[in-house]
Amino acid sequence: MEKLYIVKIGGNVIDNNEKLHLFLKNFTLLKEKKILIHGGGKIATQVADKLGLEVKMHNGRRITDQAMLEVVQMVYGGLVNKNIVSMLQALGCNAVGLTGADLNVVRAVKRPVKDIDYGFVGDVTQVNQKALSDLLENDCVPILAPLTHDGKGNMLNTNADTIASETATAMSSAYQTHLLYCFEKKGVLKDVNDESSVITSLNEKNYAEYLAQNVIFAGMIPKLDNAFSALKKGVREVVILEADNLQNIENQYFIGTRITLQ
């Protein structure tokens, strides 16, 4: 099977043009086929603040009412996505920007209300492996915004880590998929204020222990939950690493956290 990198970029890298450009340069240098999924939550929060909209979060996930849905559609599907696509084109990478609605790439359902009403948030039900494979085989590089659709004309805000995990899982039937979560930290840290405290390997057992000790919390939880889910569904490898370190992913200088089941 041919290797495919599913790369998710988020955190402070998205809204720092210099860091973003360096990351995209390294992303372009990956020789294998690749798909990029991006977040952009901080920019959406900034736009919401300017519009006087209250931003609500729960366990690292955004609660999305109608007004916030319109903001994330504009920011994720427009500003962030097209900025990344244009930067990649300038680097010679034939990128194509997509939301989940484009080519019916990612279908979702509105999350049912349980303890928390997340509003217009989507839970992924299907990733269109054929559509993405067709783009890849035609030397296109898909760039996915964290927006899905329900097939009934409604857009849904969906966690980018989840889209990355579900995309990697779907593509694993056709490719040897490697899922990379890139952000501003060197990996999963024992101490968020100490960059040298990287947890180099993380399995389900010590993940549960770190959760109980509150070492791992907030936005890292959905990222890791999705990482373990992907491994159980056929993804070859999951790594969490600093965006600047993407160029070293396959050599001895690699620094980051490898996620394993055991």
Side-chain angles (χ1 to χ4, degrees), residues 182-210:
C182 299
F183 68 147
E184 70 273 11
K185 303 290 185 181
K186 294 188 181 299
V188 182
L189 306 177
K190 289 182 181 177
D191 179 353
V192 293
N193 298 312
D194 180 5
E195 285 286 339
S196 67
S197 66
V198 177
I199 301 169
T200 57
S201 182
L202 189 65
N203 60 34
E204 284 190 296
K205 182 181 177 182
N206 52 31
Y207 174 44
E209 292 170 353
Y210 285 131

Side-chain angles (χ1 to χ4, degrees), residues 88 233 251:
L88 284 170
K233 296 175 181 176
N251 66 35

